[in-house]
């Protein structure tokens, strides 16, 4: 028998601005997607039209039973031109936070989720001398959003991935074959700068918004070593993950984001077995990753509360999403029963959204028609929302099946 979920447990789903809002035209990613010869095959375009339909998204999540929603504020909308703030964009995000609170969805607000204003990137991105000052000015600009009632704030999403993407979008590196070959080593100078920016942001937020809990989120790789792969696995895990987790030790929480595992042999990544099930991103279908991720995080940052800020699978067959999530939650419950301090579970993703270059990998609990933008919750949305409403992580298969077909 597992203990009840802790009070205030966040049970919901996540999105990010660029992946859902649509027409994020002042951002570096928009320019990257639409540049002649771009390696991106499908631009984000209207995305899920959530810049207009966010209320509907929130109301739907709440009606499904969730009590929390993670979304991000888009710096490129708040400051589309260097030094010129859009008060209307700030008011938009204030409305989002207020509405979330009003309907009983605890907002988890990410201040930076992969994209930058184009001007910021053109001025050198995170490697510019004044990058951190610019970020702090942006934090000042969005303080009304936090004051509107955002009590859980993520400074930077996945710095371990961002430091790679930043180099790609700047044109310093290419990413052949996506992330199947594992994460390239983070660009060291960028990673250092992101860590500095994060620490400055945490101090700033604590000073200006006492009572807000803040941290960053780390893409967890659930690194395992195949025979002979111990040292290679240790190095891979440290540079791509633990270094970033160490930088979270003085925060109020760390966000764990987990999808699959990475197996390392003496010569590097060991591909999944030929008969392994793969998801639409090409990653191994491996729901046990979440339990490994939270247990590992708790060893690197002992005592630090964990929020699962992303977990899910891009699958066409929604039954597989339910199966994946059921196993992931069971593992999460086991880790919690063993004392790992987990304060929330936010599924990736609320919606079928823009998966950084294409729409085909569908992570959503809710389908989105690509031209009418009509939202259709999938069986997984009803199933997971029901667990959220009941405040439990585990159901047996039969009970879940009944729910799905109720
Ligand atoms: C990111 C999301 C992304 C998801 C699935 C995470 O790396 O934060 O933006 O869509 O994983 O790839």
């Amino acid at each position: 028998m597992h203990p009840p979920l802790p009070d205030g447990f966040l049970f919901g789903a996540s999105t990010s601005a660029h992946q859902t809002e649509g027409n994020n035209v002042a951002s570096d990613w928009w320019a990257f997607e639409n540049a002649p010869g771009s390696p991106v095959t499908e631009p984000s375009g209207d995305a899920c039209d959530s810049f207009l339909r966010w209320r509907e998204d929130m109301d739907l999540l709440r009606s499904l039973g969730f009590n929390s929603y993670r979304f991000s504020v888009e710096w490129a909308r708040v400051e589309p031109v260097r030094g010129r703030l859009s008060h209307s964009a700030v008011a938009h995000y204030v409305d989002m936070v207020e509405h979330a609170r009003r309907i009983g969805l605890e907002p988890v607000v990410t201040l930076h989720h992969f994209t930058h204003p184009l001007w910021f990137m053109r001025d050198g991105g995170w490697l510019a001398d004044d990058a951190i000052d610019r970020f702090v000015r942006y934090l000042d600009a969005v303080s009304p959003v936090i004051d509107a009632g955002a009590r859980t704030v993520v400074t930077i999403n996945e710095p371990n991935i961002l430091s790679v993407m930043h180099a790609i979008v700047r044109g310093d590196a290419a990413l052949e074959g996506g992330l199947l070959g594992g994460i390239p080593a983070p660009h060291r100078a960028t990673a250092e700068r992101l860590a500095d920016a994060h620490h400055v942001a945490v101090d700033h937020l604590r000073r200006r918004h006492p009572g807000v809990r803040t941290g960053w989120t780390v893409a967890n790789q659930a690194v395992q070593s195949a025979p002979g792969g111990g040292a290679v696995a240790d190095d891979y895990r440290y540079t791509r993950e633990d270094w970033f987790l160490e930088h979270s030790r003085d925060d109020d929480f760390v966000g764990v984001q987990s999808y699959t595992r990475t197996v390392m042999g003496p010569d590097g990544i060991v591909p999944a077995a030929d008969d392994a099930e793969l998801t639409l991103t090409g990653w191994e279908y491996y729901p046990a990753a979440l339990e490994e991720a939270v247990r590992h995080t708790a060893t690197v940052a002992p005592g630090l509360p964990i929020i699962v800020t992303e977990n899910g699978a891009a699958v066409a067959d929604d039954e597989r999403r339910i199966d994946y999530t059921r196993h992931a939650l069971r593992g999460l419950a086991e880790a919690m029963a063993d004392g790992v301090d987990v304060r929330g579970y936010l599924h990736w993703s609320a919606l079928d959204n823009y998966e950084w270059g294409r729409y085909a990998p569908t992570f959503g609990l809710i389908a989105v028609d690509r031209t009418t933008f009509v939202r259709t919750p999938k069986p997984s949305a009803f199933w997971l929302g029901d667990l959220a409403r009941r405040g439990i992580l585990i159901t047996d298969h039969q009970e879940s099946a009944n729910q799905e077909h109720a």
Side-chain angles (χ1 to χ4, degrees), residues 19 113-114 157-158 257 259 283 310 348 355-356 363:
Q19 294 176 270
H113 194 122
F114 288 164
N157 180 69
E158 292 189 350
Q257 316 208 144
Y259 293 92
W283 303 339
E310 291 183 23
W348 187 271
E355 180 54 23
W356 305 109
F363 279 96

Side-chain angles (χ1 to χ4, degrees), residues 27-257:
S27 72
D28 61 335
W29 253 85
W30 183 272
F32 178 62
E33 290 161 19
N34 292 292
S38 170
V40 167
T41 46
E42 197 177 10
S44 53
D46 288 323
C48 303
D49 200 27
S50 291
F51 194 73
L52 298 180
R53 294 171 196 259
W54 59 268
R55 246 192 210 89
E56 183 186 343
D57 296 339
M58 288 190 189
D59 292 349
L60 187 50
L61 288 169
R62 186 64 186 131
S63 73
L64 286 163
F66 297 109
N67 69 20
S68 180
Y69 179 44
R70 173 179 175 231
F71 58 91
S72 73
V73 174
E74 184 58 55
W75 184 0
R77 287 190 194 273
V78 170
E79 191 178 2
V81 174
R82 186 182 171 98
R84 299 251 168 95
L85 298 180
S86 164
H87 302 293
S88 154
V90 173
H92 169 91
Y93 294 111
V94 167
D95 283 351
M96 286 183 77
V97 169
E98 286 179 345
H99 185 73
R101 296 216 72 84
R102 201 176 305 124
I103 65 171
L105 272 187
E106 182 71 33
V108 174
V109 175
T110 306
L111 299 176
H112 186 284
H113 194 122
F114 288 164
T115 48
H116 310 84
L118 182 57
W119 62 261
F120 178 83
M121 207 54 145
R122 290 208 168 131
D123 288 353
W126 287 104
L127 297 177
D129 288 344
D130 66 349
I132 294 181
D133 288 348
R134 302 309 312 184
F135 188 55
V136 170
R137 280 173 208 228
Y138 161 65
L139 298 182
D140 278 335
V142 298
S143 51
V145 180
I146 299 168
D147 289 336
R151 296 189 291 211
T152 306
V153 176
V154 173
T155 58
I156 298 174
N157 180 69
E158 292 189 350
N160 48 342
I161 302 292
L162 176 61
S163 53
V164 174
M165 280 171 106
H166 180 268
I168 295 166
V169 173
R170 262 176 47 115
D172 300 337
L175 182 59
E176 306 296 344
L179 294 174
L180 285 182
I183 309 182
H187 187 257
R188 190 46 48 204
T190 312
E192 302 270 2
R193 195 48 84 76
L194 291 175
D196 290 347
H198 169 65
H199 295 307
V200 167
V202 168
D203 286 350
H204 183 88
L205 292 167
R206 282 180 174 157
R207 229 175 314 111
R208 277 200 70 159
H209 309 278
V212 163
R213 57 177 174 174
T214 183
W216 67 4
T217 67
V218 177
N220 189 293
Q221 307 307 303
V223 179
Q224 301 176 355
S225 64
V232 182
D234 288 349
D235 177 66
Y236 187 93
R237 192 187 294 108
Y238 185 74
T239 52
R240 284 144 176 95
E241 182 176 316
D242 293 1
W243 187 88
F244 296 88
L245 292 174
E246 287 176 1
H247 275 283
S248 70
R249 281 178 179 159
D250 295 329
D251 297 346
D252 303 312
F253 70 91
V254 62
V256 166
Q257 316 208 144

